[in-house]
Every structure is written in structure tokens, then in C-alpha cells.
């Protein structure tokens, strides 16, 4: 099965693709490559979005001036200036990408550990850590669709696209977990919530 076929089936939420991937030679290596590509694109797109938002606020400060007191406006303006300086200082793309990959990977692993425990002890399944990694890596494929954010100028469209692709990836993960472990919809939703919030909360402590 070619990479194009794999990506197409994942995006169409094919009912058998994840079981096929678990039996595919070199699935883990391909999954890691996709995961790294998605993290890279997501990081660049997020910085593009925040830079665009800051530029939008800087160029439209006069709009907010009439809605605030002088002190509030000065505080707001100072905050925008500080954010702008922070993003200018984050100009080293390679260091930002490495930091993002490490942080995202730690959060993902913690989330998958929680998913493993839920599947094993709550739903009485027999999950394998490597299978969960493969499902997680390949379910990140919708993140590749965030690529247009690098070229879109409108911050609202950028935010919308980042949000939609993030939700799409969670749906893809839920679809993979459901078909591999034969879960009910509510069980799949619980596992997705555990991956999302469990990994984020514990990863930030």
C-alpha cells in the first residue's frame, strides 16, 4: 500500500485502514515520518498564525482605542509590544521545532499511557504499546491539511483551519481506536478525551 493510499484512507476514515496498518511492514517508521512532518507543519503554522494576529492587532490598535480607557489601552499596547518582541526573539526555527517536537512527543506519550491503562483495565482489552503508537502517529495525518496556513494572510481563516485539522485528527484517532479494539462510540470518545486532556494536563506539570 502506497503512502498516498494510506493518507487517502485515513482522511476518509476508512473502517479497515488501521488494522491494515498494524500488519504493514515498516508501519512504525512510516508513522514516525508522518508524525514529524505534522508536528513541523503545525509548529510553523501556529507561529504563522500568532505572528499574523500580532501584526493585525498592531495595525488596528486605533479600533480598540475608543473602547478602552487610556490606562487600559496603554496596557494592551504594551502587551502586544511584548508579544511581538518574544516572537522576534524566537527567530531560530530549528530550536523552536526541536522544542515543539520534544514537548508534543512527551504529551502524546503521556496521553497514550493513559489510553493504554483505560483500554487494559477499564475496557478489558489487550492493547500493545507499539500498536497505540502506530494508531496515534497515523491518525495525525489530518494535520498535514494545515499546510495552507503558511500562505493564508487572514488570521481568522488561519485559526479556523488549525482548529478544524486538530479536531479532524482527534476524530481519526478515535476511529482507529474504535476499529482496532472494537469499542463503542462512547468508549472511543472517552479514550480520545484521555489522550487530549490527560496528556496535556500531566505533560504541563
Amino acid at each position: 500500500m502506497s503512502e498516498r493510499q494510506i493518507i487517502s484512507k485515513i482522511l476518509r476514515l476508512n473502517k479497515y485502514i488501521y488494522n491494515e496498518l498494524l500488519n504493514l511492514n515498516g508501519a512504525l517508521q512510516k508513522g514516525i515520518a508522518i508524525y514529524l512532518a505534522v508536528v513541523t507543519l503545525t509548529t510553523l503554522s501556529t507561529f504563522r498564525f500568532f505572528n499574523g494576529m500580532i501584526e493585525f492587532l498592531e495595525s488596528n490598535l486605533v479600533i480598540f482605542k475608543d473602547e478602552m480607557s487610556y490606562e487600559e489601552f496603554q496596557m494592551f499596547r504594551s502587551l502586544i509590544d511584548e508579544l511581538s518582541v518574544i516572537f522576534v526573539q524566537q527567530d531560530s526555527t530549528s530550536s523552536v521545532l526541536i522544542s515543539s517536537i520534544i514537548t508534543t512527543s512527551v504529551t502524546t506519550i503521556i496521553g497514550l499511557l493513559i489510553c493504554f491503562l483505560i483500554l487494559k483495565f477499564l475496557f478489558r482489552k489487550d492493547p500493545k504499546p507499539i500498536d497505540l503508537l502506530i494508531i496515534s502517529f497515523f491518525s495525525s495525518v489530518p494535520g498535514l491539511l494545515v499546510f495552507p496556513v503558511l500562505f493564508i494572510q487572514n488570521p481568522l481563516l488561519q485559526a479556523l483551519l488549525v482548529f478544524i485539522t486538530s479536531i479532524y485528527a482527534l476524530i481519526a484517532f478515535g476511529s482507529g481506536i474504535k476499529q482496532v479494539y472494537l469499542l463503542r462510540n462512547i468508549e472511543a470518545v472517552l479514550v480520545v478525551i484521555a489522550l487530549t486532556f490527560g496528556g496535556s494536563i500531566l505533560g504541563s506539570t
Side-chain angles (χ1 to χ4, degrees), residues 130-149:
I130 192 169
D131 289 350
L132 282 174
L133 283 172
I134 291 173
I135 294 170
S136 177
F137 289 158
F138 279 99
S139 66
S140 68
V141 160
L144 296 173
L145 300 178
V146 80
F147 183 72
V149 169

